Structures are given as C-alpha cells and as structure tokens.
Amino acid sequence: MAGWLRSQWRSGLLPALGLAWLLLAALELRSPYYFLQDDGLEQHLPRYVFNLRSLRQGSFPLYNFHIFAGTPHFATGQSGVLYLPIYPALLLSRVVFGHYDATIDLLAWLHLSMAVAGMLLLLRMLGVRRTAAVVASLGTLSGFALWTGRSWPTELMLGGWFPWLLLLALRYLRRPSLRDAALLVAARTLLFFCGHPQYFVLALLFEAIFASGWLLVGARGQRWTRLRRYLLLYVPTLLACLPLLLPMMRAAALSVDRSSALPYLKFSELTMTPLAWLFGQLFAFYQLHFTAEGITQIPYQSYLGVVPTLLSAYAAVALWRWQPRRRRLALLCLGCCVLALLWCWNLLGPVLYHVPVLNRFRWPFKLVYFSGFFQLMLAALVLDRMTAEWRRFCLALVLLSWIAMFLVLPTHAWRVRPYRVPIESPWAQQMGSARYLFLARKLDSNHRVAVQEPLLGFDYAELWNGDNLLGYEPLLSRDGAPGGFAGRITDYHTGAFPDAVDAAVLDRFRSWGVRYYVVDPDDADVASLLPPRGLHLVAQQQGWQLWQDPLAAARVRWSHAPSAPVPLQWQMGVNTLAIAWPGAPPDELTVAYTNTPGFVACTQHGCAQVPASADGMMHLRLPSDVHAVQLEYRDPLFAWGLRSAALGGLALVGLYLLRWRALGRA
C-alpha cells in the first residue's frame, strides 16, 4: 500500500486530487451545497430519489405518475435510471447527512475528481511531466464546470467521463487488448446512461477525431488495422446503449419540442461570441451588468485560469519550433480546439444545421467545454518544455488564481439561490397525494415564473410523493400534455401554469382532479375568480396562497355516475394503478391520468391496450363480472433493447472465442 501511494504521488495523481479537493472544500465552505441549484435541485434530485424509492419497492421505474398526470420516466434519459453512480451517492447522502439533498454535490465531487484524474493520466500517458500535467488537470475545474455544472449535473458528468474516453481510446490504439476495449465500451455506455444525448454524441465525435488523428500522425505500424478495430468498438457500444437508446428515440419522436429539427433560431440561440469567449478567458473577475441571465453567465464559462490561456496562446505560434512528434500532437489539439470554437461561435451553424441529429441540439455555447479541454492539453505541452522552476511558478499562479476564484470572486458569476437544507415544502404534507397546480404568473429577476419558494413546481412532486398536473420534462410527449394544454401553455418547463385562467380553464382543471392551487395573491384576476367558483383559501405563507377546491372530480371515478353507490378503491404503484370495486361496474370507468401509449388494462380475462381518448384520460368499459382492473405501463422497446443487447453481446463473445481458438491453432 505504501509503495502504491508513493508511485501515485510521483505520478502527480495524489497531489492533483488533493489540491482539487481542497479547492472544492473551500467552495463548499463559502456556499454550502453549492451544486444543489437549478436543474440539479428542480429536476435531477427528485428523479434520482424517485428512482431509488421505486427500486426499493421492487419495481423498475418506467413511468412517473407524479408529474403531468403521468409521463414516461425511464425513456426520457435524464432520469438516470441506469446511471449507477447516483445510487451510492443517494445512500451516502442519506447515511452521512440524514437526507438526500447532498446527492448532487457528492456526484459533483465524484465527476470533478474523475475529470482531474483523467486529464492527468491522459497527459502522463502522452509523455507530459508531472507538474505540467497537474496544472492542466486543475484547469478542469473550469468556468464551464463551476457555472454550467452548478445548474446542470450532466455537464459535470461529461467533464468526468470525456478524459477517460480519450485515455482508454489511446491505450487501446497503442496496444489493443480485450480489457481496454471493454473499459472503453463501459465508459461510453455510462456516459450515455447519464441521459444527455447531445453531450454523448459530441463526446464520441471528438473522441473519434482525436484518437484517429493521434493514431494516424503519431503511431507506427499497422495503423489502419488498429483504426479499423477501434472503429468496430462502436458496435458493442451501440448494443450496450440499446436498452435506453430505443425508448429515448421513441420519446423524442413523440415529444413536443424534439420530434424534428429545431427552428434555426432556437438551434443557434445562446451562442458564445468570440468577444465573450475572450472576455471569459481573461476577465472573469470583472462583473458584467446585463439583465438576461444567459448574457451574464455565458462569458464566464470559458474561464480556465489565465495561465493556461496564455500558455495555449503561446503554443499556437511556437509549436513550429518543436520536435515533429510533439508538434503533430500539438497540431491535433489545436485543430480540435479550433473546431470546437467555430462550433461554439456558431460559425459552423449554417452547415451543421443540415446534419441529421445535430440539428436537434441547441445552444452552441456548450462546445466551450471541448475547446477548453484541448486548450488545457496545449497549455500542458507548452509548460512541459519549460524549466522546472517555470513549471513550479506556473503551478503556483494557477493555484492562486483558483483560490481567488473560489474564495474572493463576488457572486456575479455565482448566481446562487439560498435554500434551506434539508429541502422541505411548507404544504407538501398538508396536500398529501392530492393533485395540485400552480396558477403562477409571478416573475423573478430573470423573468421566469418564480415557483422556487414553495418547492412544489418543476419536479418537486417526485420528492414529496405528490401529484402536480404539470412538471418539468424536456421530452414531454404530445400525448402526455394533460387536457391538451401543451400546445397553448407558453412555458411548460416550470411545473406551473403561467397563462390566463378563466372559468372554462378552471373547469378543465377540475375535471382532471386538481384539488389544490398555489396562487400569487397579487394576481387580482385569479384571486377574484376562485371564490365564486367554490374554492376556499386554506393557507398563506412565503408570498403564496394555497386554495382548495372541494368540487374537484375524483381522479378515479365512474364517468357518468360519479356519486354512484359502487365505491372505488385504488392504489398507485410505480408503473401501475390497481383499481377495485364491489359488484358489477355501473358505468364506464374514468381514470384522470394521461392516456400514454403503452398502458394495458389487465383483468381476469387478460390484458388489452387502453383505447385512445379525445380528452387525454383513460376510459374503460368493463364486463359485468369484472371487479378489479390493473392499469400497467409497459415499454416494449426497453424489453426489446435488453434482449438485443444480451444477444448481441453473446454473439460478440462467441466471435471473440472463435477467433482466439483459431489463433491458438495457428
């Protein structure tokens, strides 16, 4: 053990990780639960908790009854059901802190540690000295990681896995082995299971460009044979991804937003201009004064620390004097960096918009991660040529810059919302499992619907086992928009209804079983509408009112005889609704949950597909001898993907064994 620790210290791995952990600890001391913000809190944490709760109940979470009156869960991808690291993070948070709210920060520490270690080991494999590799590895704690990663945990997952993709790809190309092939396929698959297809596609694209370029310009002997074997590894990668890929493709095809190519304006919005990129590289401590969040946040995303920026700029003009082999590597890094920058600045947008799949991905500024990554590699190659004294001096400057960034920088680039941990909602217990809805037109400083305070919008209902008629789902299905509202809601990503409400709209909500409404008391139109319609004010706090509707329809009821003497009992499972009643069914059964394609109704006579309906609910006409029915959501593409992946894997193993046997005979 002591010998292993000494070797890791000499390699630079332990110093790099130790310094990174000290910097992250300083960040957490300054802003506890720093990464528990925006989508991490409003979308990812509720889904991760729902995943764990479902698995503990013995069910695989294909469906989610807690938002949008029911919507597919697993197929959306960002639910992260198959991304294994979330489960130890959830359990560790629960055991150590007594709640799940540290999960996002624990995952952030994990992926940032992976980023630091992966960059260092990659550079060391490429022959870069220890100090230069440490400097570049600390640069992975970049503006992109700390500002974009604060909002979107998938950005940190990309940062954690991408250097390992390059490392494992180069190791395989240098000396092909079954172990490195399996590790590379596993790393790609786990990145895909993070649930962000855009980052997965971009990561594999830049991995293929860099790895192929490195082989063709730097390796010797059997280049084309090794390249062919490397490219063939995309076959087992595809097979391993099929259980999620097939359901996700179907979800995208049925979605409101992503069923086809985005409009060009949406495809190209949030572009980082060259001036904004340069500003973020050099002037991250200067505060810009704009009102739109996207403008103020984007320039800072390119920050790497001033030292790596200057070193990489020097590389662009000095690499011609380097040795041929090192020069080719630097040119490869420079080429990948320039490609990412042209994409990030949207100069390639008019061309890339015509490429299938890529034209469904928005916000070109995300490419700044890849430009920054290859900038750091260039900086390491420059620093590696300097004297030991200069390398240590640059390391000290990098540490000073990051210490200042973490401890001194004002919050202009850290838009941190104050949350009380453990996260609790004032009304979740009072409402229980009853269906609720925000009637919220209140705007915060960023002109978004302000629904954070009661912690009931977005996907918070999954945390409290609640039932929000709306929610937050980028792949919201056209079939999964309750009551047909999705085509008319101006913003269905906040879990709130931000538009005008009249008596007809309120009656529609009532038919969907909405029992409670969270209302802005300053909204005079809504406040004057609710009392005449029979609603009662039951609570008011934190600037919001809670209204109860005693006339709301039951979510499970007889269609034309809601007060019939035949009572209904029903219980919600993870993917099922079990409904029972005594005697013969007096009427058509109405279930006010979304009639998502994939639901089957099972009785003692067997199972049948739930028929389509005009109002989006489930309506069942049952025989007189039926006293119970179970509605179950099934995803045949998930099952088909599992079988295909298993059969394909067995076929590949068989081919490998046959080849190994033939080589043994030869």
Side-chain angles (χ1 to χ4, degrees):
M1 183 65 177
W4 179 85
L5 290 174
R6 282 194 297 271
S7 67
Q8 299 307 312
W9 180 267
R10 287 193 296 268
S11 72
L13 180 61
L14 289 182
L17 286 175
L19 292 171
W21 291 338
L22 287 174
L23 291 170
L24 289 173
L27 179 63
E28 292 285 357
L29 288 173
R30 181 188 185 189
S31 299
Y33 298 93
Y34 169 77
F35 293 97
L36 188 63
Q37 297 286 324
D38 291 353
D39 284 17
L41 173 61
E42 299 158 353
Q43 179 188 22
H44 291 272
L45 179 63
R47 294 185 179 193
Y48 296 165
V49 172
F50 176 71
N51 293 345
L52 182 62
R53 188 191 308 131
S54 301
L55 294 174
R56 281 179 164 174
Q57 294 175 16
S59 298
F60 189 86
L62 294 172
Y63 202 75
N64 180 0
F65 287 104
H66 299 288
I67 58 174
F68 290 113
T71 186
H73 178 75
F74 169 74
T76 61
Q78 293 196 41
S79 54
V81 178
L82 295 178
Y83 189 58
L84 298 180
I86 71 171
Y87 299 106
L90 284 163
L91 296 174
L92 184 62
S93 175
R94 184 71 175 180
V95 170
V96 176
F97 299 94
H99 50 71
Y100 294 120
D101 301 337
T103 300
I104 302 299
D105 282 78
L106 290 173
L107 287 171
W109 277 61
L110 168 66
H111 293 114
L112 288 172
S113 300
M114 289 173 58
V116 170
M119 174 65 91
L120 184 132
L121 294 175
L122 172 63
L123 291 171
R124 294 291 281 163
M125 192 191 73
L126 293 172
V128 176
R129 293 183 180 89
R130 181 179 67 173
T131 305
V134 170
V135 169
S137 66
L138 292 177
T140 58
L141 306 177
S142 61
F144 184 85
L146 295 177
W147 289 311
T148 311
R150 167 196 54 81
S151 297
W152 304 328
T154 47
E155 270 67 5
L156 299 178
M157 297 173 185
L158 167 68
W161 285 108
F162 183 66
W164 289 93
L165 295 186
L166 295 189
L167 174 65
L168 292 169
L170 298 191
R171 283 181 53 176
Y172 180 80
L173 287 170
R174 175 177 287 181
R175 185 176 298 172
S177 69
L178 180 61
R179 185 193 68 174
D180 287 336
L183 289 174
L184 178 57
V185 171
R188 290 172 175 172
T189 305
L190 283 170
L191 177 59
F192 181 70
F193 287 165
C194 294
H196 202 299
Q198 181 176 8
Y199 286 141
F200 175 74
V201 170
L202 293 175
L204 263 61
L205 176 63
F206 279 95
E207 177 212 315
I209 292 173
F210 185 84
S212 302
W214 176 84
L215 176 67
L216 296 177
V217 304
R220 298 177 181 177
Q222 297 183 327
R223 294 178 182 177
W224 295 107
T225 300
R226 283 187 280 175
L227 180 60
R228 185 175 63 253
R229 291 178 179 175
Y230 164 73
L231 294 177
L232 284 174
L233 290 181
Y234 285 97
V235 174
T237 300
L238 175 63
L239 290 172
C241 293
L242 281 179
L244 176 58
L245 177 62
L246 295 178
M248 189 184 290
M249 290 175 63
R250 182 170 182 266
L254 297 175
S255 67
V256 176
D257 277 346
R258 306 301 172 89
S259 58
S260 60
L262 296 171
Y264 185 76
L265 288 178
K266 195 168 187 178
F267 165 82
S268 59
E269 69 180 353
L270 292 187
T271 294
M272 181 178 289
T273 65
L275 185 60
W277 172 81
L278 183 61
F279 177 90
Q281 292 265 308
L282 300 175
F283 305 109
F285 288 88
Y286 182 80
Q287 183 173 2
L288 294 173
H289 295 281
F290 293 100
T291 56
E293 177 189 0
I295 295 176
T296 58
Q297 296 294 305
I298 284 180
Y300 304 107
Q301 318 266 345
S302 64
Y303 185 74
L304 300 172
V306 177
V307 173
T309 296
L310 297 178
L311 290 174
S312 60
Y314 177 76
V317 298
L319 58 84
W320 308 107
R321 299 194 298 268
W322 296 0
Q323 296 176 354
R325 189 171 183 179
R326 185 58 63 94
R327 181 169 64 244
R328 288 193 293 266
L329 178 59
L331 282 171
L332 180 59
C333 294
L334 181 61
C336 291
C337 179
V338 170
L339 173 62
L341 284 176
L342 293 176
W343 199 333
C344 175
W345 298 340
N346 203 39
L347 297 179
L348 299 178
V351 176
L352 295 174
Y353 184 69
H354 298 286
V355 179
V357 178
L358 296 184
N359 55 18
R360 300 191 187 195
F361 299 150
R362 60 180 182 173
W363 298 352
F365 84 88
K366 296 177 180 179
L367 273 293
V368 76
Y369 166 76
F370 296 97
S371 67
F373 184 90
F374 292 108
Q375 257 191 284
L376 290 171
M377 292 188 68
L378 273 175
L381 294 175
V382 173
L383 191 57
D384 193 49
R385 291 175 51 84
M386 295 182 176
T387 63
E389 290 76 11
W390 272 107
R391 290 196 295 273
R392 287 192 290 268
F393 177 71
C394 289
L395 175 60
L397 289 180
V398 166
L399 287 174
L400 286 175
S401 69
W402 283 117
I403 290 172
M405 182 66 67
F406 285 15
L407 296 180
V408 180
L409 182 68
T411 58
H412 67 271
W414 261 279
R415 190 178 57 83
V416 177
R417 295 192 183 105
Y419 293 105
R420 294 181 179 179
V421 177
I423 300 296
E424 295 177 348
S425 174
W427 295 327
Q429 186 173 2
Q430 180 175 353
M431 292 188 299
S433 62
R435 181 165 292 164
Y436 67 87
L437 178 65
F438 268 100
L439 299 180
R441 290 187 287 177
K442 180 183 291 187
L443 301 181
D444 65 12
S445 60
N446 295 305
H447 304 286
R448 297 174 63 202
V449 176
V451 296
Q452 290 84 10
E453 284 302 321
L455 299 177
L456 291 170
F458 297 98
D459 290 342
Y460 290 121
E462 296 171 70
L463 280 178
W464 323 126
N465 267 325
D467 187 340
N468 185 359
L469 184 64
L470 295 178
Y472 177 22
E473 175 46 64
L475 287 184
L476 175 65
S477 172
R478 294 188 298 271
D479 299 315
F485 283 113
R488 294 188 288 272
I489 296 178
T490 57
D491 184 355
Y492 51 84
H493 287 137
T494 62
F497 189 81
D499 301 318
V501 178
D502 55 23
V505 172
L506 198 62
D507 287 341
R508 179 77 69 86
F509 291 148
R510 185 170 277 173
S511 71
W512 276 87
V514 177
R515 182 73 58 181
Y516 289 96
Y517 296 88
V518 180
V519 177
D520 174 10
D522 297 329
D523 193 332
D525 295 337
V526 174
S528 62
L529 173 68
L530 299 184
R533 303 294 296 176
L535 279 76
H536 307 301
L537 178 65
V538 295
Q540 180 168 344
Q541 57 181 307
Q542 295 183 354
W544 297 92
Q545 292 179 342
L546 183 65
W547 290 74
Q548 184 179 16
D549 185 0
L551 302 178
R555 285 168 288 178
V556 179
R557 59 186 184 268
W558 302 115
S559 299
H560 306 294
S563 30
V566 179
L568 286 164
Q569 295 181 339
W570 61 282
Q571 184 176 6
M572 180 191 298
V574 176
N575 305 309
T576 60
L577 289 171
I579 309 168
W581 57 91
D587 193 5
E588 177 186 73
L589 183 65
T590 291
V591 181
Y593 282 91
T594 306
N595 193 351
T596 306
F599 267 106
V600 296
C602 298
T603 67
Q604 69 264 33
H605 301 298
C607 297
Q609 199 77 24
V610 175
S613 62
D615 61 3
M617 302 182 194
M618 290 183 271
H619 300 281
L620 302 172
R621 291 192 175 275
L622 301 163
S624 59
D625 61 339
V626 171
H627 308 294
V629 63
Q630 178 165 290
L631 297 170
E632 181 180 354
Y633 178 77
R634 298 175 180 176
D635 191 337
L637 290 179
F638 172 58
W640 196 91
L642 280 176
R643 289 193 293 268
S644 301
L647 292 174
L650 290 174
L652 290 176
V653 171
L655 290 174
Y656 175 81
L657 291 176
L658 288 174
R659 182 175 180 274
W660 177 78
R661 185 178 179 182
L663 290 175
R665 289 179 175 177

